[in-house]
Every structure is written in C-alpha cells, then in structure tokens.
Amino acid sequence: MRVLSILAFLPLLTTPAFSQKKPPASKAGPFVTVRKGDIPRASTLPGRFVPAGARPISLWFKAYQGELVLTWVLPQGTAVTKGSVLARIDARGIDKQIRDLARQKKALDISLLKAQAEDRLSRESEAKRVEAATRDLDRARVAFRMWEKVELPLAHRSEELQAKLLADRIQDQKDELEQLEKMYRRDELVDETEEIVLKRARRNLARSLESQAIQKAKVKHQRDYTEPLEKKKKEEALREMERKLAQLKVRVKLAQAQRKTDLDKLRAQLSDLAVKLADLQKDRRLFELRAPAAVFLEVRQLHG
C-alpha cells in the first residue's frame, strides 16, 4: 500500500494567534485562543493564525503502485466545507493500470468461456467414445457367446450330418457294387459293357472312401486345432477390447481432472484480477482529495 500524508487542516474557528514579533528561543510568545464567533476580535490582534489542532489526510491505497504527483491544490487558508475538493493527483498512471487490468479481465473472461465450452464439448465427445466402446464390447461378448453356444454346435451337427450322408452313400455304393458283381458273376461271359459298369462302381466307391477319409481328417483338424485357435483369438480380442475400454475411461478421467484444474486456475486468476481491479477503482477515487469536515486549509507536507 502507498501512504500519502499530504494535507493538514486548520479546524474552523479553533486557532490561536501568535504575535508578529518573533519571541526569544527560550520564551514562548503570548497566545490568544480564538473560539467560535471570535473572528472579529482575532482580526484586530497582531500576529498570524496557526492550527491549534491538525487533521491530516492520509491516503491508503489497496492496489495502486506508482508515482504520486500533485497537479492542483486549493490555495492555502481557503475555507472549505465537508466534501470540497482540496487537491488532485495526476491520475494518468492509475487510469492506465485500470485500462490494462480491464483488458486482462476481459481476455480472461473470454478464455474462461472458451475453456468451459471446450470442457463441455470434450465431455460430450468422451461420453460418446466410452458409450461406443462399451457398446462394441457388449456386442463382441454376445457374438462370442453365440459363436460358442450356437454357431459352433450347429457347425458340428452339420459336419456330423455330412459324415452320415457320405457314409450312407458309401454303403449304397457298396451294396450296388455287390449286387452288380453277383449279377454279372452268374453270367458265363462278362461283356465289355458290364466290365465298364463294374469298374465305374468300384472307382466311385474308392473315391467316396477317400473323400470320407479326407472329411474325417478335416473334422479332426477342425476340432483339435482350428476351433481352439479361433476361440483363443476371440477371447484375446475380447480381453483387448476390455483393456482398451478401461484405458479409455482412465484417460477420460485424467483429462477431465486436468480441465477442471485449468478451469479452477482460470477462475482463481479471474477472481484475483477482479478484486485488484475493484481495489484500483476504489484507489482512483482517492486521487481527488476531499475535506472530511469544514476547515481552513493549510498545506503541511508531502511524502510517500
């Protein structure tokens, strides 16, 4: 705070009079106390008026830091009433500080509004991201359960049905071949056409048996390797989705905490700036010094 003790006041009609002759240093001159209504008598006495009691004005600034230069002072000895302007201080410095602080406050207001809007938009976006990731994980879990409980059993049933159909076909081919061989065996002479029919039946049966062996090998490979591997991959994919969702929630929480800290910091800065600006505006009113009571003015001293 800056303290400026600049003016002392001569209380109205409560002053003593001194002789015009300068008294010896060891002796005090004669004093005449002038009371209310004694101005006519006091004006006939030789001497000069000095205060019987002074009322100094001290300026206590809350925020202002700068030079204090008097630009105007009421002439000494002037009688004033309560609230009359006694002196003025150069206010260009404090006016500049007020303008600068007002601009800073406006900029901080805008920064706070922007940060609040960005926080609101970020929260909406983060909520949608978490919601989407949660929805995708739920769908993946349902898909895995459907694959494990429905699709895989249906695939097994289909493979078993195909195996049965192939076995039935092989059995039919065996039966047909057996009937052909019995029928042609009764003939004393097997012609070329019959031989072709037999060769075709034997070849089809062999191919069917080979196809059956391949199908069994494929089913075994599917059950022993492909399906467990696919199940493992699906489970790992689910765990990865769960891990990413957990990480996303942590990142969102940290980002929201950081934005809250930044917003609190901006609000604190804005509050401090508003208080300082209000204090400066109060200090600005002190740049016009006014009389606290009806007095005669006497300039005593100026110091900072």
Side-chain angles (χ1 to χ4, degrees):
M1 293 186 202
R2 296 290 305 280
V3 180
L4 174 63
S5 183
I6 179 171
L7 300 174
F9 298 97
L10 178 65
L12 188 59
L13 304 180
T14 57
T15 59
F18 285 90
S19 171
Q20 287 182 336
K21 295 180 181 180
K22 186 175 182 181
S26 59
K27 296 181 181 180
F31 287 86
V32 177
T33 301
V34 180
R35 300 184 184 282
K36 185 175 181 181
D38 289 344
I39 286 296
R41 186 166 72 86
S43 64
T44 66
L45 297 173
R48 60 189 176 83
F49 289 108
V50 295
R55 296 184 63 181
I57 291 182
S58 297
L59 303 180
W60 296 84
F61 294 108
K62 292 178 176 291
Y64 177 66
Q65 298 289 330
E67 294 183 344
L68 296 171
V69 179
L70 284 172
T71 57
W72 176 82
V73 178
L74 195 66
Q76 182 159 300
T78 304
V80 296
T81 59
K82 182 179 180 180
S84 298
V85 177
L86 305 177
R88 293 188 177 92
I89 303 172
D90 186 359
R92 289 177 295 179
I94 192 170
D95 286 343
K96 184 177 184 302
Q97 290 184 24
I98 289 173
R99 288 194 302 271
D100 291 344
L101 276 181
R103 283 194 292 268
Q104 292 177 34
K105 183 178 180 299
K106 185 176 181 181
L108 272 180
D109 283 331
I110 295 173
S111 297
L112 179 59
L113 289 174
K114 180 181 178 184
Q116 289 173 332
E118 289 177 348
D119 178 59
R120 183 173 61 257
L121 292 174
S122 296
R123 284 179 179 275
E124 292 175 358
S125 176
E126 289 162 351
K128 289 180 180 179
R129 288 169 59 194
V130 171
E131 182 182 355
T134 303
R135 184 172 58 248
D136 291 343
L137 177 59
D138 291 341
R139 289 174 177 173
R141 285 171 175 164
V142 171
F144 176 73
R145 288 197 299 269
M146 293 297 293
W147 175 82
E148 190 176 33
K149 303 297 183 182
V150 178
E151 294 178 14
L152 202 58
L154 285 176
H156 290 171
R157 289 178 61 186
S158 177
E159 290 167 354
E160 291 169 359
L161 178 60
Q162 292 297 323
K164 289 178 180 179
L165 291 174
L166 182 57
D168 291 343
R169 187 175 69 183
I170 290 173
Q171 186 61 47
D172 291 343
Q173 289 176 342
K174 286 181 178 179
D175 292 344
E176 291 176 2
L177 179 60
E178 184 179 354
Q179 290 297 322
L180 286 173
E181 287 176 343
K182 287 181 180 181
M183 183 177 63
Y184 293 149
R185 194 178 298 122
R186 290 194 297 266
D187 295 341
E188 294 178 359
L189 181 63
V190 178
D191 59 20
E192 293 181 0
T193 301
E194 293 172 343
E195 186 65 29
I196 291 173
V197 172
L198 288 173
K199 285 177 62 178
R200 181 184 300 160
R202 293 187 185 106
R203 184 174 62 243
N204 289 340
L205 177 60
R207 297 292 183 267
S208 295
L209 291 171
E210 185 179 2
S211 177
Q212 186 182 50
I214 292 173
Q215 186 181 33
K216 289 181 178 180
K218 288 176 66 177
V219 169
K220 186 177 187 304
H221 177 75
Q222 185 80 11
R223 303 286 176 87
D224 294 345
Y225 176 75
T226 305
E227 288 178 2
L229 179 60
E230 187 175 0
K231 182 178 181 180
K232 185 176 180 180
K233 287 180 178 180
K234 289 180 181 295
E235 290 172 340
E236 289 175 350
L238 279 175
R239 287 194 294 269
E240 180 67 13
M241 292 179 72
E242 290 169 351
R243 184 183 66 84
K244 288 183 176 180
L245 178 59
Q247 289 180 344
L248 176 61
K249 289 179 177 179
V250 171
R251 287 197 298 270
V252 166
K253 187 175 181 180
L254 290 175
Q256 290 177 353
Q258 182 62 55
R259 291 197 303 272
K260 183 180 183 301
T261 299
D262 294 341
L263 283 171
D264 291 342
K265 184 178 179 180
L266 272 176
R267 292 189 184 101
Q269 291 176 348
L270 189 58
S271 177
D272 293 343
L273 199 61
V275 170
K276 187 175 181 180
L277 180 58
D279 288 343
L280 268 182
Q281 289 169 340
K282 291 177 182 177
D283 290 346
R284 177 63 176 82
R285 294 196 287 270
L286 299 179
F287 275 59
E288 274 196 350
L289 281 74
R290 296 181 178 274
V295 294
F296 288 125
L297 180 68
E298 181 183 359
V299 178
R300 284 286 188 87
Q301 57 184 345
L302 171 65
H303 63 84

